[in-house]
Amino acid sequence: MKPKLIALDMDNTLLKSDRTLSHQNANILKKLHADNHHIVLTTGRPFPNVQPFLTQLELNKNDDYVILFNGGVVKNINTNETLLNKRFTLNDMSEIFNLIHNLNLPIDIVCPEIVYSIADFGQSNYVNLIGKLLHYQQVSITDLPTTLTFNKFVVCETEDKLNYLENILHHTPVLTKNISFTRSRRTLLEFVPSNVSKGAALKLLLKKLSLTSKDLIVFGDEANDLSMFKLATVSVAMANAIPLIKSAATDITSSNEEDGVATFLSSYFNL
């Protein structure tokens, strides 16, 4: 069989709700990797929050890649070669930051090694989502250099408040012309540079590996996975996925708590 590229969202897809990787999922992916299939974690997380899972999966070949920041970074795990690295500058975000501030919503700025929680905007729950592998610092917006670059910023709030914010953003295109935004969970709205998506990053990586969308299998559960579902020949939604993703999928597997990734791959590859 020609090698496949298996792209996996992490949170609530590959990982359980306690953010651990099960033995069943790990073992099936390691077996497929040993059979020369490409295993690509495709996530909104920065590298420090992905690295332990790359080690657990033994992804250390010269052609092993990871997709970070919802497609903003494509990186070779072994050589550190970066195929893509899309960033914002703080100065460019002043207008949309003002809008979010006026709505009394918090903002967290996510850099490769650190998260800046903007104290002027209030404390969010994002600190409880990022774990302890990434530095977290509360700062005033005026203490950050206007030349600061970063891969994404997030608004972590209730679903209703994010629905309201998204509705405003959809009706103010002048503020979002250089921005893409999507949910990675119902309580987390993520902002990345325009034209950044998991699907766009996978298209770049497929070309690098001399593969096509016919060789692509993707797994996901949330809105930020939709672009890769549209690209792949085989797209697998988790049982816990939102309706949008289920309707876009070619297949539906069991939930992340029930090792749905391993269940589907075992059947697909007759393992």
Side-chain angles (χ1 to χ4, degrees), residues 100-118:
I100 293 169
H101 190 201
N102 289 338
L103 294 173
N104 295 314
L105 297 173
I107 286 180
D108 293 279
I109 293 174
V110 189
C111 303
E113 304 291 340
I114 189 170
V115 175
Y116 294 110
S117 174
I118 307 305

Side-chain angles (χ1 to χ4, degrees), residues 14-83:
L14 178 62
L15 305 183
K16 293 183 177 293
S17 57
D18 63 1
R19 301 173 205 160
T20 60
L21 175 61
S22 72
H23 292 299
Q24 291 90 334
N25 281 345
N27 288 341
I28 203 81
L29 291 174
K30 284 193 283 188
K31 179 172 177 53
L32 289 169
H33 187 240
D35 290 339
N36 293 318
H37 297 289
H38 300 278
I39 309 300
V40 181
L41 301 188
T42 308
T43 179
R45 294 180 176 211
F47 190 74
N49 282 5
V50 182
Q51 190 168 26
F53 301 101
L54 302 175
T55 301
Q56 188 175 348
L57 291 170
E58 300 173 7
L59 299 178
N60 51 23
K61 295 180 182 178
N62 284 336
D63 59 355
D64 281 335
Y65 289 84
V66 63
I67 293 174
L68 309 166
F69 293 111
N70 287 321
V73 171
V74 182
K75 179 178 179 177
N76 185 294
I77 298 164
N78 192 40
T79 67
N80 281 324
E81 174 197 12
T82 301
L83 298 184

Side-chain angles (χ1 to χ4, degrees), residues 37-263:
H37 297 289
H38 300 278
I39 309 300
V40 181
L41 301 188
T42 308
T43 179
R45 294 180 176 211
F47 190 74
N49 282 5
V50 182
Q51 190 168 26
F53 301 101
L54 302 175
T55 301
Q56 188 175 348
L57 291 170
E58 300 173 7
L59 299 178
N60 51 23
K61 295 180 182 178
N62 284 336
D63 59 355
D64 281 335
Y65 289 84
V66 63
I67 293 174
L68 309 166
F69 293 111
N70 287 321
V73 171
V74 182
K75 179 178 179 177
N76 185 294
I77 298 164
N78 192 40
T79 67
N80 281 324
E81 174 197 12
T82 301
L83 298 184
L84 184 70
N85 187 2
K86 293 282 191 175
R87 291 174 174 247
F88 291 122
T89 62
L90 187 62
N91 196 42
D92 292 338
M93 294 299 101
S94 59
E95 289 188 355
I96 193 165
F97 277 19
N98 285 337
L99 168 67
I100 293 169
H101 190 201
N102 289 338
L103 294 173
N104 295 314
L105 297 173
I107 286 180
D108 293 279
I109 293 174
V110 189
C111 303
E113 304 291 340
I114 189 170
V115 175
Y116 294 110
S117 174
I118 307 305
D120 324 54
F121 291 41
Q123 176 69 55
S124 80
N125 191 48
Y126 191 61
V127 64
N128 296 316
L129 299 180
I130 63 171
K132 298 179 180 179
L133 297 176
L134 202 62
H135 297 297
Y136 185 87
Q137 181 180 342
Q138 276 202 308
V139 295
S140 170
I141 192 75
T142 56
D143 291 334
L144 293 172
T146 57
T147 55
L148 176 73
T149 63
F150 50 97
N151 295 96
K152 73 174 183 179
F153 65 92
V154 303
V155 178
C156 186
E157 255 297 354
T158 64
E159 184 171 358
D160 286 346
K161 288 183 178 181
L162 293 186
N163 289 343
Y164 182 69
L165 173 58
E166 276 195 291
N167 184 57
I168 290 175
L169 293 174
H170 283 304
H171 288 87
T172 35
V174 68
L175 288 181
T176 58
K177 60 183 178 180
N178 296 317
I179 295 172
S180 297
F181 54 93
T182 185
R183 301 272 185 105
S184 60
R185 58 181 71 207
R186 293 297 84 195
T187 57
L188 188 64
L189 187 61
E190 306 202 12
F191 296 79
V192 293
S194 59
N195 300 317
V196 165
S197 70
K198 292 183 177 183
L202 282 170
K203 189 177 293 187
L204 178 69
L205 186 54
L206 285 168
K207 184 177 181 180
K208 174 73 173 179
L209 297 173
S210 300
L211 300 172
T212 73
S213 59
K214 293 180 180 179
D215 306 310
L216 180 61
I217 301 172
V218 303
F219 291 82
D221 73 298
E222 259 290 355
N224 63 331
D225 301 316
L226 183 61
S227 61
M228 62 179 185
F229 272 52
K230 291 179 177 179
L231 177 66
T233 300
V234 178
S235 52
V236 187
M238 313 306 290
N240 52 285
I242 63 171
L244 174 69
I245 292 300
K246 286 182 176 177
S247 65
T250 60
D251 298 89
I252 297 176
T253 188
S254 47
S255 75
N256 63 313
E257 295 295 335
E258 300 168 311
D259 301 316
V261 168
T263 299

